[in-house]
Amino acid sequence: MSLLTLYQLEREDIKNIINDALYFKKNRKKNKYNNLLENKNIALIFESPSTRTRVSFDIAINELGGHSLMLNTGETHLGKKESIKDTANVMSKYVDCIVARVKNHSTLEELVKYGSVPVINALSDLSHPCQILADLLTIYQYKNKFKGLKLSYLGDGNNVCNSLIIGGALLGMDIYVATPKGYEPNELFINKGLEIINKYGEGTLILTNDPLEAAEDADILYTDVWVSMSDKDKNIDEINKVFPPYQINKKLLEYAKDDVIVMHCLPANRGMEITDEVIDGDHSVVYEEAENRLHAQKALFKYIFYE
Ligand code: CP
Ligand code: NVA
């Protein structure tokens, strides 16, 4: 199977992935899955820059006994000199899995449609499921539960926010998303989130324009950049005008619970969506969160190939 968005998963699936990720984290070098990807060749295609995703996938594959091929924009014909259809067909003859970071989510859908190997979304303009798997692992590590936690995202309703809604909903969390007007998350993801909450009868999803409503008594404060890689036409003057109230700073932190954890997928635009003081402060778990990409992606490979 492929993983393009988290709403493909059931609650049990995501819980299993998190449990496996915990195992991989506890047993980093020597574990019963050292040969999980033996004889598997996995292509890593990056249309946009990446530090965490490319390095953590590369290392995860190597530590599980597989072979990775790093393909950056300009190194393949994908979407330029050759159709995505032909690329998908040809790549499927060589590799066992494609991990792809793409500008347009539809590229991933085409890779799935025309290829015959699993495709993993390593970030698109619409979603970032691998990031959120690592985030859920991080939340579990610090809070030891999901249900009953207030998970608050402040800032731009972007790809990370879309996926966070689904991840939080799958685990029955109380999700608050505070964005300026006009920067709300994608409607499909809002609806899918509400569907999941309805299905399991647990959790809530509140969308607001009030940053303090989200910050109040939050167990988790999460933010991401105000301008994403895929944002070509955002008006920077308007961003600078409407986003500052959503910044995670010391003052906003005072509204949250005393043991709040502060998360950011990174890279951060320090001084914009989050201050140095907070990202470097006691509540911040951002580096642990980044480390967890490695463990969560190992667990994801186990799920993709063997479950
Ligand atoms: N969080 C994340 O995906 O980081 P990179 O862009 O560095 O991969
Ligand atoms: N929303 C950000 C996430 C980076 C990991 C972007 O798409 O640029």
Side-chain angles (χ1 to χ4, degrees):
M1 70 164 286
S2 293
L3 185 80
L4 301 200
T5 62
L6 290 182
Y7 57 70
Q8 292 169 236
L9 303 180
E10 300 290 330
R11 175 173 290 179
E12 262 333 284
D13 299 326
I14 209 157
K15 279 191 168 169
N16 287 339
I17 292 172
I18 294 164
N19 275 336
D20 285 336
L22 280 167
Y23 173 83
F24 281 118
K25 183 160 189 166
K26 274 197 204 116
N27 305 280
R28 164 92 190 256
K29 295 283 180 187
K30 206 168 161 35
N31 62 61
K32 56 186 173 187
Y33 301 115
N34 278 147
N35 298 324
L36 191 88
L37 298 181
E38 200 176 5
N39 296 324
K40 296 225 184 294
N41 293 300
I42 299 176
L44 303 173
I45 298 177
F46 282 85
E47 285 189 348
S48 318
S50 164
T51 299
R52 278 143 290 273
T53 307
R54 57 183 293 158
V55 175
S56 58
F57 263 113
D58 199 5
I59 291 177
I61 293 164
N62 283 294
E63 288 186 358
L64 295 178
H67 173 66
S68 59
L69 289 92
M70 190 68 76
L71 303 167
N72 299 314
T73 306
E75 289 176 0
T76 64
H77 299 296
L78 177 74
K80 291 194 183 94
K81 277 194 165 172
E82 191 164 40
S83 67
I84 297 163
K85 178 179 178 176
D86 287 348
T87 304
N89 270 302
V90 171
M91 291 290 279
S92 298
K93 300 285 180 216
Y94 301 132
V95 300
D96 300 284
C97 178
I98 298 172
V99 175
R101 169 166 290 193
V102 298
K103 294 197 162 98
N104 298 311
H105 193 80
S106 59
T107 302
L108 294 170
E109 289 167 343
E110 281 191 71
L111 287 172
V112 171
K113 183 169 173 195
Y114 297 112
S116 52
V117 296
V119 175
I120 296 177
N121 178 358
L123 182 147
S124 71
D125 53 337
L126 213 54
S127 70
H128 197 2
C130 297
Q131 177 65 51
I132 292 343
L133 292 176
D135 296 340
L136 294 170
L137 168 63
T138 312
I139 291 171
Y140 190 71
Q141 246 187 279
Y142 281 91
K143 301 289 177 192
N144 217 26
K145 62 174 186 176
F146 294 107
K147 230 179 106 183
L149 293 178
K150 179 168 174 178
L151 166 63
S152 296
Y153 177 95
L154 286 91
D156 184 31
N158 60 16
N159 46 6
V160 168
C161 177
N162 291 335
S163 294
L164 193 66
I165 288 174
I166 305 301
L170 277 166
L171 291 162
M173 299 172 81
D174 295 317
I175 310 151
Y176 282 68
V177 176
T179 65
K181 273 199 177 63
Y183 294 90
E184 286 82 6
N186 179 281
E187 226 172 274
L188 172 70
F189 284 76
I190 296 172
N191 290 334
K192 290 280 183 193
L194 291 170
E195 253 176 51
I196 293 166
I197 287 168
N198 226 5
K199 173 173 162 186
Y200 293 107
E202 278 169 5
T204 44
L205 172 59
I206 310 285
L207 302 180
T208 175
N209 302 124
D210 178 3
L212 298 186
E213 186 186 351
E216 181 118 53
D217 288 330
D219 294 287
I220 300 127
L221 285 176
Y222 196 124
T223 192
D224 184 18
V225 288
W226 294 337
V227 181
S228 285
M229 291 180 242
S230 57
D231 290 330
K232 292 279 166 274
D233 314 317
K234 266 194 177 154
N235 178 334
I236 299 300
D237 290 338
E238 186 180 303
I239 302 285
N240 291 335
K241 207 166 107 202
V242 300
F243 275 90
Y246 300 84
Q247 182 188 63
I248 302 196
N249 52 38
K250 208 172 159 215
K251 195 155 186 306
L252 191 112
L253 216 60
E254 283 169 15
Y255 290 85
K257 289 214 177 112
D258 290 343
D259 63 348
V260 64
I261 56 169
V262 173
M263 302 182 70
H264 192 308
C265 59
L266 303 179
N269 208 351
R270 286 164 172 257
M272 299 299 274
E273 73 275 4
I274 191 161
T275 57
D276 279 328
E277 198 176 21
V278 172
I279 202 168
D280 296 326
D282 291 344
H283 294 276
S284 171
V285 298
V286 298
Y287 300 129
E288 192 80 20
E289 188 183 352
E291 181 196 316
N292 284 341
R293 295 292 306 274
L294 173 66
H295 313 301
Q297 284 153 199
K298 284 182 177 173
L300 178 61
F301 279 127
K302 179 171 173 281
Y303 177 77
I304 298 261
F305 284 114
Y306 300 102
E307 274 153 46

